[in-house]
Amino acid sequence: MTMAATSHDMPVETTENPTRRQKNRSFWLLAPGVLWMLLFLVAPILMMVYVSFWTQTTFKIEPTLTLKSWVTFFSSDTYLGALWTTIRIWLIVLACTLLVGYPAALFVGLFVKNKTLSTALLVLCVIPFWTSFLIRVLAWRPMLGKEGAINMILMKIGVITQPIEVLLFSELSVIIGMTQIYCVFMVGPIAFMLGRIDPSVIEAAQDLGASFWRIFRTIILPLSMPGVVVGAIFVSVMVLGEFATSAALSGRKVNLLGNIIVTQVGSLKWAFAAVAGVVLTVLMGAVVAALLRVVDLRKEL
């Protein structure tokens, strides 16, 4: 007589929890990126913060912790003025790139129906980036100078009788140069978001009698906001870290935080340069955090 095998006699197969296995896989996929960020982003920032508290003497720097460099920065009208100038120019350039870039992105992303043509127009915007950054900056000098192309054209058509000297070696020239250089970073993300809008939604609004401005206000603008935020982040980070454009187009009359850092590094004043770098990093982080609160990019993109 054979007896049926009991459950105790059956081999038990142990299987790993699928959720745990998925978490392990995600961890190993994220590990290279996390390690890279720790080594080349977090560690340098922490080192910069640490160096900002070192004691800076005339000819050398000592790893003795002190607040002297911080006190000097926030008690100096020159350095606080550079901070305010950086913020002011950033706000103006951000507004200018949005005013210039949004209509261009609206045309490319919404009104140009041919995808090949819209792609070609975007590539046309990127073509200037095939040349050196300094060449693109210095190209504005013969345009904005006292005897430059803009003054010559305005005088020939009778708009002005004397050359406008404020166009070059001023804060205005820095704003013009930065707007032209960084406008493409506003156009691209906005055009991408506008290209994702379903045309049937706009057609339905038109069939219901909505005007263009109402369609723009209630449909186009809200749906393009993720692109505006992404473009604003790109422009903000690059403008806040600028130093070359201001030096080339203002004749070193406009000092940004980036120029302060370059000057202090050139003078071997590492502690003070670190203070300016920490302030600039905190400013950038605050700006990016504020922009990310406008739109939840994880849901929209």
Side-chain angles (χ1 to χ4, degrees), residues 32 48 53 59 63 80 86 108 113 119 123 157-158 177 183 202-204 225-226 229-230 248 265 288:
M48 183 171 60
F53 292 100
F59 300 104
L80 291 180
T86 302
V108 173
K113 304 300 180 181
T119 303
V123 171
I157 62 178
C183 189
I202 299 177
E203 293 174 0
M225 280 306 296
V229 170
V230 172
V265 170
V288 173

Side-chain angles (χ1 to χ4, degrees), residues 8 12 46 76 88 118 120 124 162 174 194 199 222 226 259 266:
H8 297 286
V12 179
L46 293 178
S76 171
R88 183 176 66 251
S118 63
L124 187 64
Q162 297 292 330
V174 176
L194 290 173
N259 300 109

Side-chain angles (χ1 to χ4, degrees), residues 10 28 37 39 50 58 64 99 125 169-171 188 192 255:
M10 297 292 291
W28 288 112
M37 295 291 286
L39 289 177
Y50 178 51
T58 305
T64 305
L99 290 175
C125 294
F169 299 134
S170 64
E171 190 172 305
F192 172 75
N255 269 332

Side-chain angles (χ1 to χ4, degrees), residues 145-200:
K146 187 177 180 180
E147 298 179 357
I150 294 178
N151 274 319
M152 291 179 60
I153 293 172
L154 292 177
M155 292 179 66
K156 282 185 177 294
I157 62 178
V159 176
I160 58 175
T161 57
Q162 297 292 330
I164 303 175
E165 298 183 8
V166 75
L167 287 179
L168 187 61
F169 299 134
S170 64
E171 190 172 305
L172 177 61
S173 62
V174 176
I175 293 171
I176 293 174
M178 288 187 182
T179 300
Q180 183 270 328
I181 292 170
Y182 298 122
C183 189
V184 66
F185 293 98
M186 186 69 75
V187 173
I190 297 175
F192 172 75
M193 292 304 302
L194 290 173
R196 296 178 58 184
I197 298 177
D198 189 353
S200 61

